[in-house]
Structure formats: structure tokens, C-alpha cells
Amino acid sequence: MNEPENKPTMRRRRRRNGVIAIALALLAAGGGGEVWATQHVQDRIAESVRRGMGLDSLPQVHVNGFPVSMQLAGKKITEADIDAAQVPATVNGRVLIIQDLAVQLHGVHQEQGGRERADDAEATATIAYEDLSAFYGVAVGRGHGDDQLEVTTRVPLLGQVSASTRIGITGPRTIGVDDVQLSENVPPAARTLLESRLERTTPLDNLPEGLAIRSVTVTDHGIVALMSGNDVDLQPRTA
């Protein structure tokens, strides 16, 4: 027959169980605090981007690094990824749509007034051919090289006329086309018409201030502009 436990042993067991319960509660609270901190920062950055760029919906934001609560306490987020769709890039009253904008921010902090800044950032902006076609007023598609486009339009008395052209960087935040190549039997009037349609440049002003275009590549889905910069303000200069 087992002897009943003495009272000191029972008290020690109760104290130990109490300590374990408190530790578990603190762990649970800590985990909940980390979830709250992560969601808070992601919502904060997403709302700043939505307001600044005039988006219809919040972009997706993912904060990297652990623990986020410690980053939040230190008032600087190590890294955050943003993925936004259908971003309007307003150009002299016209609207060019960026189908997909992916931004990676490093060293994100909030300034007085709620403005979000990053120590540095990289971005990838993809513009679909149908949106380029609407912007230029001619059909735009992929050409034969990494920087070549094929453009097509209808010319009075000649019907459909096609030409190849190159796309490249024309300014820190501006894309443009040049070197329009038509076949020899196309009259000068057709060249003049196409060149007049394509002469406008494409500023990507409605993006975080501080980003500059580093390269432009032609792909199957559209043109892709790679951008980067330091001291990046999530509020575009056009806002």
C-alpha cells in the first residue's frame, strides 16, 4: 500500500505546476505578440503604399526576419516584400498600367507624419503589351531581340504596316523607343506616322521616390523594368 504524499511534497509539486503554467502563458502571449507585430507592420506598409500609389486594393506585404516584435521596438524593419497588381503610372494625364510591381525594401522605418522610408530597395515592374498598345496607340508585341519590339498599325491607302523598334532607358525613371525599322518599300509618310505615335516617353513616376531604372528587358509577357535606389520614400513624388 502506497504511503500518502506529505504536504511539503504536494506544495512543491503545485508550485512547479504553477511555474510551468505561467511559462506556457508567457510563451503563448509572446507568440500572440509576434503575430500582432507582424500583422501590424504589414498592414502599416500596405496602407502607406495603397494611399501613395492610388491603388484600388491593398498590396500584399510580407515582413521578413524574426522576431518582428523586436524590429518594431527598434523602429526599423529589416526587410519587407511588396507585391502589387494593376498599379497606375500616370503620364501627362494618360494612365499606363503596371501589371505587376514587386518591391523588396531594406531597413524600413516610419517617419513623422506616417511616411514610410527604406534605406534601399529593388523593384521589378512588368508592363503588359496590351497596356503598351493602349498607351502608344499602335499594336505592340515582342520583337526578335532582348530589347526589340514589333509595332503594327494601319496606314491610309497602305493598310497594315509593321516595324521593329528598340526599347530602352531614356531617363532615371523613363522608358522610350527609338530606331524604328521599316521595310524599304514603305513610303516616308508611314514612317512619320509610326514615329509620331512612338515619340512619347513612358515615365514611371507613380512609384516610390528614389527608385531609378537600371535595365529594361523584353519578355513573352511584356517589358520588365528593373529598378533600385537608396533612401527610398514609399510616397511617390506625383502624390
Side-chain angles (χ1 to χ4, degrees), residues 6-226:
N6 56 40
K7 290 184 178 180
T9 301
M10 295 177 65
R11 283 196 295 269
R12 284 195 299 271
R13 179 170 294 178
R14 282 197 295 268
R15 283 198 300 270
R16 184 180 63 194
N17 291 340
V19 170
I20 292 173
I22 292 172
L24 290 174
L26 289 174
L27 285 173
E34 182 66 15
V35 170
W36 177 88
T38 301
Q39 193 62 52
H40 170 72
V41 173
Q42 291 178 165
D43 291 346
R44 189 187 82 185
I45 295 174
E47 179 58 26
S48 178
V49 173
R50 186 197 67 78
R51 285 198 317 268
M53 297 185 191
L55 304 180
D56 293 332
S57 59
L58 290 171
Q60 294 182 1
V61 177
H62 179 73
V63 174
N64 302 314
F66 182 85
V68 176
S69 55
M70 295 296 291
Q71 298 178 47
L72 183 60
K75 298 183 179 181
K76 180 172 283 193
I77 304 303
T78 304
E79 186 177 283
D81 295 326
I82 301 171
D83 192 0
Q86 299 292 307
V87 178
T90 303
V91 185
N92 298 326
R94 301 171 65 92
V95 177
L96 175 69
I97 298 297
I98 299 173
Q99 286 291 331
D100 182 74
L101 177 68
V103 185
Q104 187 174 72
L105 306 171
H106 306 275
V108 187
H109 54 278
Q110 190 178 53
E111 297 184 333
Q112 289 185 349
R115 296 175 73 94
E116 301 277 353
R117 300 188 78 92
D119 293 340
D120 57 85
E122 300 87 39
T124 302
T126 302
I127 304 172
Y129 292 123
E130 60 187 63
D131 294 309
L132 282 173
S133 300
F135 177 75
Y136 283 112
V138 296
V140 179
R142 179 170 188 172
H144 298 294
D146 291 339
D147 64 347
Q148 289 187 328
L149 299 174
E150 189 80 13
V151 296
T152 303
T153 190
R154 295 192 67 82
V155 177
L157 304 178
L158 293 178
Q160 184 170 289
V161 174
S162 296
S164 66
T165 185
R166 297 182 183 276
I167 189 161
I169 304 170
T170 56
R173 295 165 65 93
T174 307
I175 297 171
V177 298
D178 61 8
D179 191 24
V180 178
Q181 299 288 333
L182 295 94
S183 58
E184 294 182 357
N185 60 345
V186 175
R191 175 184 295 276
T192 301
L193 177 63
L194 273 174
E195 288 179 342
S196 66
R197 293 282 182 90
L198 299 172
E199 67 183 0
R200 64 171 66 100
T201 58
T202 310
L204 303 182
D205 283 337
N206 195 34
L207 295 179
E209 179 65 14
L211 290 175
I213 303 171
R214 306 304 179 190
S215 66
V216 182
T217 306
V218 174
T219 73
D220 289 339
H221 306 290
I223 63 171
V224 177
L226 299 182

